[in-house]
Amino acid sequence: MNKFISIIRTFLVFISFVVFGIGTIIMGYIVFPLNKRMYKSPEKLHKAYLNLINKSWYFFVRALCFIRLIRLEIDDINKLRNIKNSIIVSTHPSFIDGVILMALIPDTTCFVAERLAKNKITKNIVNSICLVSHRPLEELKTNTKKMTDEGFNILIFPTGIRHRKNEYPKIRKGASLIAMNCKKNIVPIVMYTDFDFLYINQPVYKAGSKPVTYSIFTKDSIDVEKIMQTYPDSVDCKRELTKLISMELYDGFAEKSKNAGKKSCAAPAYSGKGAANPDTPRRLSTPVSADKL
């Protein structure tokens, strides 16, 4: 029975990728060019692009929940959706983390690999709304400051690689540099899955026999300007911010798991009974109204 369910889930994953690819082509080659004719202001055009991505990817993520490929457990949906004009740093368990977070957080752009900026399917969208990694430092500093000055969020996966919930790869200093340059607060988001799904080098057909649960925790923001005042030296400031990011993304959850007698960063289980536990994220296994998600 489990084997049959796994085959069905694999088929659904392939269909989802096809639908996402077709949607990307339509957005990049038809919808975005039409918007470019409608908006002459670069700021308004960029906001229109991100709004389209947010709405369409939100629909896509809800569809993934509806067909039970994934399940979302979110500790505070309002806190997540109300992130404004910040540098967002997140753990990175799977291939679709960026899609999920940009679907849930309005006015958010992200860093992507340069190969996506050259891919025929994705290049029009990527070059319109995203920041491409491995560009000259001054170019990145200029582009990221411009984005945040216009009121947008920037999503960064500071490890640079996908990793499991009980793994703690080194945090790179790029997020700290960008936050210092933009003088915007850093919002850490802890996201983990209950089993490997679309992991590094994992075949798409290994989709498991049950919905994968994404647990998402929004931590309190890090006051970057306050840290910059406390540490006037840029090297010390960068080091301290990177340390704080690492503590927020890893140490707190590692300590909680240690206290529970487990070496894991797993989210607390949802019983579905009794009063709501403030530490227990809400499960969204089926679509709910937009004002609740």
Side-chain angles (χ1 to χ4, degrees):
M1 185 64 180
N2 283 347
K3 186 174 182 180
F4 176 74
I5 294 174
S6 296
I7 293 172
I8 295 297
R9 285 179 54 78
T10 298
F11 175 74
L12 291 175
V13 169
F14 275 114
I15 292 297
S16 299
F17 270 92
V18 170
V19 170
F20 187 82
I22 292 172
T24 300
I25 292 171
I26 292 172
M27 293 284 284
Y29 286 91
I30 299 175
V31 180
F32 273 30
L34 287 175
N35 273 261
K36 197 170 185 178
R37 293 186 179 185
M38 293 169 58
Y39 298 96
K40 301 304 178 185
S41 165
E43 292 80 10
K44 290 183 178 179
L45 177 62
H46 199 83
K47 186 170 181 62
Y49 284 160
L50 287 178
N51 186 54
L52 283 167
I53 290 298
N54 175 249
K55 301 299 184 190
S56 59
W57 287 6
Y58 174 78
F59 175 82
F60 179 73
V61 169
R62 282 170 58 113
L64 294 183
C65 292
F66 180 73
I67 62 177
R68 297 184 62 77
L69 272 180
I70 68 172
R71 179 185 295 134
L72 301 182
E73 289 187 346
I74 306 172
D75 69 327
D76 191 334
I77 186 63
N78 292 324
K79 186 176 181 180
L80 184 68
R81 290 193 66 82
N82 286 313
I83 297 173
K84 307 287 185 185
N85 200 202
S86 302
I87 308 301
I88 302 169
V89 294
S90 174
T91 49
H92 194 14
S94 79
F95 182 68
I96 60 172
D97 304 334
V99 173
I100 292 173
L101 291 177
M102 288 178 70
L104 296 174
I105 310 171
D107 296 329
T108 300
T109 185
C110 68
F111 276 90
V112 297
E114 191 165 5
R115 58 185 172 78
L116 293 177
K118 297 177 180 179
N119 184 286
K120 290 183 179 180
I121 293 177
T122 59
K123 66 178 182 180
N124 282 5
I125 287 181
V126 167
N127 292 321
S128 296
I129 68 163
C130 297
L131 297 158
V132 181
S133 304
H134 305 300
R135 294 285 170 87
L137 178 60
E138 288 305 314
E139 179 183 337
L140 288 176
K141 289 171 70 175
T142 299
N143 291 340
T144 51
K145 191 168 191 319
K146 181 182 177 184
M147 288 282 190
T148 54
D149 285 348
E150 292 174 5
F152 301 114
N153 300 307
I154 297 176
L155 171 62
I156 303 172
F157 297 107
T159 62
I161 59 170
R162 279 170 260 171
H163 57 97
R164 297 180 176 91
K165 61 187 177 184
N166 57 350
E167 297 175 342
Y168 310 98
K170 182 179 179 181
I171 299 292
R172 299 182 183 182
K173 297 182 176 66
S176 299
L177 284 170
I178 291 169
M180 290 167 61
N181 179 61
C182 300
K183 294 182 173 61
K184 301 298 181 184
N185 287 352
I186 297 171
V187 179
I189 292 179
V190 179
M191 171 190 279
Y192 286 119
T193 57
D194 57 346
F195 62 87
D196 287 353
F197 180 71
L198 300 177
Y199 191 68
I200 301 172
N201 299 324
Q202 182 182 24
V204 175
Y205 58 80
K206 288 192 175 181
S209 58
K210 64 176 183 177
V212 58
T213 298
Y214 283 80
S215 300
I216 303 173
F217 301 84
T218 308
K219 311 297 286 292
D220 291 334
S221 63
I222 299 170
D223 190 331
V224 171
E225 290 200 65
K226 183 177 179 180
I227 300 298
M228 291 177 71
Q229 291 171 3
T230 306
Y231 298 88
D233 182 79
S234 61
V235 175
D236 291 341
C237 185
K238 179 177 63 177
R239 185 182 296 117
E240 180 64 17
L241 282 172
T242 303
K243 177 183 174 182
L244 288 173
I245 291 171
S246 180
M247 288 175 62
E248 290 295 330
L249 293 184
Y250 298 150
D251 291 357
F253 278 77
E255 185 65 28
K256 180 185 288 188
S257 299
K258 182 179 178 182
N259 292 339
K262 299 178 182 179
K263 188 178 179 182
S264 167
C265 297
Y270 176 76
S271 66
K273 299 178 181 179
N277 184 332
D279 293 327
T280 302
R282 183 162 59 92
R283 175 169 295 171
L284 303 175
S285 57
T286 58
V288 294
S289 58
D291 61 323
K292 292 183 180 179
L293 181 52

